[in-house]
Each structure stands twice: as structure tokens, then as C-alpha cells.
Amino acid sequence: MNILAIESSCDETAASVLIDGRTVLSNVISSQIDVHKQFGGVVPEIASRKHLEAICTVVEQALEEANMSFEDIDLVGATRGPGLIGALLVGLSYGKGLAYSLAKPFVGVNHMQGHICANYISYVDLEPPFVSLVVSGGHTYLIHVKDYIDYEIIGRTRDDAAGEAFDKVARTIGLGYPGGPKIDALAKKGKDNIDFPRVFLEEDSYDFSFSGLKTAVLNYINSQKQKGLDIVVEDVATSFQTAVLDVLVTKSIKLTNELHLDKIVLSGGVAANDGLRERLEREGEVDGISIYYPPKILCTDNAAMIGSAAYYQYEKYGEDDLNIKANPNLGL
Ligand code: KG4
Ligand code: ZN
């Protein structure tokens, strides 16, 4: 089955052509980061307009790189949520219109399921069940993936998402947007010598909370400034990142052991974090747990992952009605 997939939930306009759920023929991503950078974050209205400008070219390029034409496509998939409503509507409306004009089936895809499916592209033999740690700019989930389209959320953030905490701390120490990759790079050079809080919540909880940590970093910066003391940004980055990873890694391994599983599958933008990958691999090995993560280009937003999710969703549930709506708060 030839799948054309479209992603436009935030600040990347992306299109991809895949064969079934795992073979990617093209993966075109047009990023708006340079436009939003000057505002320190994504401006929703600008994002929608930029998607509109880019969508036709991005889809045509995806087809061209795959050496296909519209007539070769058997299934169209597009992200329907969660994300920015105006941004989602561009890709979703384009996808539905295209499917209608080609008289081909359409599926509206959950962006977070897409992030998990990025791993099926990267590991051809990977199969559920496993534990997935989904860490993006808007969400933090610990999920028991029972089957391709059968998920149970065991833990979620109660306030800030992990990526959001990276971005906010980066802004506080003057690193700009998006902050995750910049903190990741600085954290390799600093020392873990500032005592930031690790919030584990209740003994049996797999939920997360990162807003207290973010405030602690802010307070530390302000108090250093007030006292006229130096701020070593590398040490702030290392200490902050270590505090985030302590919680993410401990809870992921604990859950995997509790469920008697042996795989942790990382996904979402923060899965690109080198520190997180290394820590999970090192600590997972002790308990015989294997760690999976996509290459960085498939960790952050892309349409190949949406195509993979579209395939498994279509296999299980068939096509969606073309009246299907975008849902900015779509849950898993
Ligand atoms: O999944 P994604 O591309 O978009 C959403 O669906 O939210 O994730 C973007 C997030 C941003 O918060 C960004 O700072 C973070 O992923 N990120 C990272 C790294 N690369 C991207 N966070 C930590 N370390 C990284 N290397
Ligand atoms: Zn995403």
C-alpha cells in the first residue's frame, strides 16, 4: 500500500510517501523555526499561514522524491491532533481534499501515536508489547503499548511537558528557541553541581511534574544575579538535565520491570537528547531492558511517522469519514 502522509500540527510542514507502515520513500520537512525564533516560541497564527504557503510544494516534493504521482497513492493520512488548531486544519483539510479528489481512503492520525510509530520505521523487527516514553514539546507520557493501536497511558505530566521545561529553562539562560538541543549540547560540558529538585510525586505514581524544577532554575538564576555571583550556563544545563533525566529514567525502568517487559521505546522531540539515550541504555542494561529510539530527524515532527501510524490505524479500523474534525486536545 502506497501511503501519502501529511503533518502540520506545530511549526513543521511535512509530507512523506511510504510503502505500508515501515518503508519510507521520501520524508520532506519544511521547518518554520527561523520565523518563530525571533519571537522566542511558536506564534500560532504565523504557523498556520506558513503551512498554507508551504503545503503544496512540500507534498509535490515528497511525491517527486518517491518517484510517484498522485494516482499511485492508495491511502492518504494527515495529523488531526493534538496541536495548534489553525496549523492542524491546513494539513488535515489538504489531506481530506486530496483523498476526496482521488477517490482514495483517508485517515486522521493522532500525532502522539505517530511519534511512537517513528520507531517501527527505524527498527523493522520491533513489535509491541513495550513501554514507550513519549517526551515532546507539548506532552510527556509513559505508555504501555499493548499492540500497534492499543495503548494504555500509565503516567502523564501534571503540568509542564519535558520539552517545554527544556525550552523555558533555555530561554531563562538566554539560549533561544528551541532550547532542547542547546541544553543537550551544553550539558555535555558542565558539572552536575547545583542541587535542583527531583519530583517523583506519590510512591506508586508514574506521573510527572516539571514546573517546580523550572521555577527552581529561575530562582537560582535570579539569586545568583542578586548576589552578584557568576552563572556557569554549562553547569546549569547539566544540573537541570540530570534532574529531568533522573525522574524520566527511573520511572521508565520501574514501569518496564513492573509490567515484566523488556523494551523501552523512546519517542518525541526530547528522545533526541543524547543524555537521555545514554542513561536509559546504561541503566536499562542492568535489568536486561533494550532501548529503542529513532534517528533524530524522526524524533522531532515529521510526516513519515504519521504515515506509519496511518497504516496501522487503517489496518485495524479502516478509513475515516471525511467529516472528521481536527482536535487540538486529542488524547491518546
Ligand atoms: O516532538 P516535537 O518535535 O514537537 C512536539 O510535538 O511538541 O518536540 C519538540 C521538543 C522541543 O521542546 C525541543 O526543545 C525538544 O523537543 N528537543 C529536545 C532535543 N531536541 C528537541 N529536548 C532535549 N534534547 C534534545 N536534543
Ligand atoms: Zn511532535
Side-chain angles (χ1 to χ4, degrees), residues 7 9-10 12 82 111-112 115 136-139 268-269 299-302 305:
E7 153 64 30
S9 66
C10 191
E12 262 96 29
H111 180 85
M112 304 313 292
H115 272 302
S136 76
H139 300 84
C299 286
T300 45
D301 291 347
N302 65 87
M305 68 183 198

Side-chain angles (χ1 to χ4, degrees), residues 9-10 12 111-112 115 135-139 162-164 166-167 177-182 184 241 268-274 296 299-301:
S9 66
C10 191
E12 262 96 29
H111 180 85
M112 304 313 292
H115 272 302
V135 269
S136 76
H139 300 84
E164 195 178 349
F166 271 92
D167 292 337
Y177 173 85
K182 292 176 178 148
D184 191 10
Q241 183 167 299
V270 184
N273 188 277
D274 288 324
K296 291 192 180 185
C299 286
T300 45
D301 291 347

Side-chain angles (χ1 to χ4, degrees), residues 74-145:
D74 304 308
L75 173 70
V76 180
T79 305
R80 75 176 183 100
L84 303 168
I85 182 68
L88 286 166
L89 278 172
V90 176
L92 184 68
S93 309
Y94 183 101
K96 289 199 277 189
L98 181 64
Y100 182 69
S101 68
L102 297 172
K104 292 288 160 67
F106 174 82
V107 287
V109 176
N110 184 312
H111 180 85
M112 304 313 292
Q113 292 184 5
H115 272 302
I116 297 171
C117 289
N119 287 280
Y120 297 134
I121 298 168
S122 320
Y123 301 94
V124 285
D125 298 324
L126 176 65
E127 281 179 24
F130 50 76
V131 164
S132 188
L133 174 65
V134 186
V135 269
S136 76
H139 300 84
T140 306
Y141 288 126
L142 255 180
I143 301 168
H144 180 188
V145 179

Side-chain angles (χ1 to χ4, degrees), residues 111-323:
H111 180 85
M112 304 313 292
Q113 292 184 5
H115 272 302
I116 297 171
C117 289
N119 287 280
Y120 297 134
I121 298 168
S122 320
Y123 301 94
V124 285
D125 298 324
L126 176 65
E127 281 179 24
F130 50 76
V131 164
S132 188
L133 174 65
V134 186
V135 269
S136 76
H139 300 84
T140 306
Y141 288 126
L142 255 180
I143 301 168
H144 180 188
V145 179
K146 299 176 180 175
D147 204 343
Y148 285 99
I149 301 288
D150 185 3
Y151 306 95
E152 185 185 351
I153 300 177
I154 313 282
R156 64 178 81 224
T157 183
R158 294 187 187 169
D159 40 55
D160 289 358
E164 195 178 349
F166 271 92
D167 292 337
K168 287 181 178 167
V169 165
R171 199 180 313 159
T172 307
I173 53 179
L175 299 178
Y177 173 85
K182 292 176 178 148
I183 293 202
D184 191 10
L186 278 183
K188 290 173 186 142
K189 300 177 196 156
K191 295 189 197 75
D192 176 23
N193 56 7
I194 310 163
D195 190 18
F196 292 135
R198 276 86 170 138
V199 179
F200 283 93
L201 300 166
E202 305 80 31
E203 172 84 28
D204 57 347
S205 174
Y206 286 104
D207 281 352
F208 300 97
S209 166
F210 294 111
S211 79
L213 170 59
K214 174 196 69 190
T215 310
V217 177
L218 212 87
N219 289 344
Y220 171 81
I221 302 285
N222 288 337
S223 106
Q224 290 294 101
K225 279 185 185 159
Q226 274 168 6
K227 291 180 199 153
L229 298 171
D230 283 345
I231 297 162
V232 183
V233 284
E234 290 83 357
D235 293 350
V236 177
T238 309
S239 304
F240 160 75
Q241 183 167 299
T242 309
V244 174
L245 300 193
D246 277 355
V247 180
L248 290 177
V249 170
T250 306
K251 291 203 180 214
S252 302
I253 291 180
K254 185 174 169 219
L255 177 62
T256 311
N257 283 327
E258 190 179 301
L259 294 173
H260 304 291
L261 294 171
D262 59 2
K263 294 180 206 134
I264 296 176
V265 170
L266 265 174
S267 55
V270 184
N273 188 277
D274 288 324
L276 177 59
R277 294 167 168 205
E278 281 160 24
R279 282 267 314 260
L280 267 177
E281 279 176 335
R282 198 171 57 235
E283 295 180 32
E285 197 179 0
V286 178
D287 290 345
I289 297 170
S290 309
I291 312 299
Y292 298 77
Y293 46 80
K296 291 192 180 185
I297 192 69
L298 293 180
C299 286
T300 45
D301 291 347
N302 65 87
M305 68 183 198
I306 301 302
S308 177
Y311 173 77
Y312 290 110
Q313 188 181 318
Y314 183 71
E315 259 205 328
K316 185 159 179 187
Y317 297 115
E319 66 185 307
D320 277 329
D321 191 290
L322 287 181
N323 283 325

